[in-house]
Amino acid sequence: MHRLLLHNDDIREAGDRFLSPGQVGLLNGWGVFSTLHVCEGVLFAWEHHWARMRQDAARMSVPFPPEAAWLEERLHRLVEANRAWNSTLRVVVVRNRGGTWEGPENPREFDVIAFTADLSAWNPAVKLGVVPNARHAAGEFAGTKCLAWAQNLIWYERAHQRGLDEVVLLNERGEVSECTSANVFVAEGGRAWTPPLASGCLPGVTRALLLDEIRVAGIAVSEKTLVPADLEAADEVFITSTTRGLLPVVSIEGLSLRRAGDVRRRLDEAFKTFVRSYVSARRRPVAAI
């Protein structure tokens, strides 16, 4: 994490003590968040992150800023304060009031907290494990990106302890849902598929861009229910996330992968072109950075 963070309207030292256990969202995971890629000072795909956070906040009864521009302006101030022109940014909206353990004299319905960090040096290809019954697709809050994230962190930590990069999370029906912080795709011929939201997966921003906005001649991207056997039968398996982009999967525990075809490579090239175009159109004046 970089030295400065955003707390509501203020840029503060990350080591300052300004939060309270009485903010119920902090101790109960009652809040929503998103992780963004800051590219040349631009918050990539900001409108997608905003829309998902707002939708999740409504589902989770988390008070939320009414205007995207209000939050965006404060996030840009944080990027500028840390000079984090190419970085990862985490923004959190925490519910402050409600429940048995609400603290006294807390006038704000929610707190906005955001911080930046250096971009991660991901492995160029990933090794995956498999965790059964890790997503409850039929649950009311399936697919929400909320602060109750400990299970994902445990699975991710265990994967690294075993020399893996990530894990495929299966739902209660044995279907592929997602990874702890990435979506899963398979490719075969000129088609690529990712599990539908009914699998319990998060609606990842990179996933949405590949489904709805990025077009590559000869390649169709759509949703389809997948089971582990489909990963084994596919020409390619890859994962996507805001911070990773599109990474090929070289192995999955218990499965034998084929590793053929170039659908992922072609989609990755198109995605990188999309990022460059998005950033070029929204790059801020030099004086601002």
Side-chain angles (χ1 to χ4, degrees), residues 186-193 216-221 224 233-236 238 258 260-267:
V186 300
E188 188 172 346
R191 299 293 303 270
W193 294 279
V216 177
I219 299 177
V221 183
K224 186 173 76 170
D235 293 338
E236 301 177 90
F238 58 97
R258 298 179 60 183
D262 66 348
V263 168
R264 186 213 62 86
R265 178 188 61 77
R266 294 170 62 195
L267 288 174

Side-chain angles (χ1 to χ4, degrees), residues 154-223:
I154 292 168
W155 289 321
Y156 188 76
E157 183 175 77
R158 288 175 180 170
H160 281 252
Q161 289 170 349
R162 294 161 51 206
L164 304 173
D165 298 286
E166 255 281 11
V167 286
V168 176
L169 306 178
L170 307 182
N171 64 25
E172 72 272 26
R173 299 185 294 267
E175 300 164 352
V176 174
S177 180
E178 59 184 343
C179 295
T180 67
S181 59
N183 291 109
V184 178
F185 282 76
V186 300
E188 188 172 346
R191 299 293 303 270
W193 294 279
T194 190
L197 298 184
S199 69
C201 69
L202 288 170
V205 169
T206 304
R207 173 189 184 276
L209 293 175
L210 290 173
L211 284 169
D212 301 329
E213 299 191 37
I214 295 173
R215 298 290 180 261
V216 177
I219 299 177
V221 183
S222 57
E223 296 177 325

Side-chain angles (χ1 to χ4, degrees), residues 62-95:
V62 174
F64 197 73
E67 299 293 336
W70 180 92
L71 183 54
E72 184 180 16
E73 187 274 332
R74 284 154 178 78
L75 296 180
H76 276 299
R77 285 194 324 178
L78 173 65
V79 169
E80 292 164 8
N82 279 327
R83 303 189 65 81
W85 316 130
N86 294 283
S87 63
T88 299
L89 185 150
R90 172 71 59 87
V91 55
V92 176
V93 178
V94 179
R95 176 167 169 162

